[in-house]
Amino acid sequence: MNFNQRLKMFTGQYMFIKWVGGSEYVKLINVGDDFYEFDVIDIDSMEYQETLMIQHNLLLEVTLGGADVQRILAEMSCNLPAVNRD
């Protein structure tokens, strides 16, 4: 299994990436033939800031877990609407 196939398994997941242009907290949207598509998350507002498309060869590191990624998940889940169970 190559990296692209492995990364496709995590589509829709939050992660931290390092790439040639910097580093971002993102949500993986799509793994294409020659690019990755991410929604960038603004840490302060926990809102989607922009969509980022990166060529495969420019991605340096992907972190799927860890304390920082877990914090992002916790803060994103706090923004979910409450479920009324009557």
Side-chain angles (χ1 to χ4, degrees), residues 5 8-9 11 21 23 26 28-29 44 47 55 61 75 77 79:
Q5 292 171 333
K8 280 183 184 181
M9 294 171 49
T11 300
S23 58
V26 298
L28 179 61
I29 301 302
D44 296 327
E47 298 290 329
Q55 286 184 329
E61 181 181 337
E75 290 189 30
S77 63
N79 293 333

Side-chain angles (χ1 to χ4, degrees), residues 12-86:
Q13 299 292 319
Y14 295 97
M15 56 190 68
F16 179 77
I17 61 168
K18 289 184 182 176
W19 56 293
V20 174
S23 58
E24 303 284 350
Y25 288 97
V26 298
K27 182 177 182 180
L28 179 61
I29 301 302
N30 186 27
V31 177
D33 292 334
D34 59 348
F35 70 94
Y36 302 117
E37 182 179 0
F38 300 99
D39 277 344
V40 178
I41 301 168
D42 180 16
I43 300 301
D44 296 327
S45 67
M46 299 310 290
E47 298 290 329
Y48 295 113
Q49 179 175 317
E50 61 188 348
T51 299
L52 177 66
M53 290 193 219
I54 302 174
Q55 286 184 329
H56 288 165
N57 58 343
L58 299 178
L59 190 63
L60 302 175
E61 181 181 337
V62 175
T63 304
L64 297 167
D68 288 338
V69 175
Q70 296 303 321
R71 183 182 64 79
I72 297 257
L73 291 174
E75 290 189 30
M76 293 296 286
S77 63
C78 287
N79 293 333
L80 294 175
V83 176
N84 189 2
R85 296 183 180 180
D86 291 329

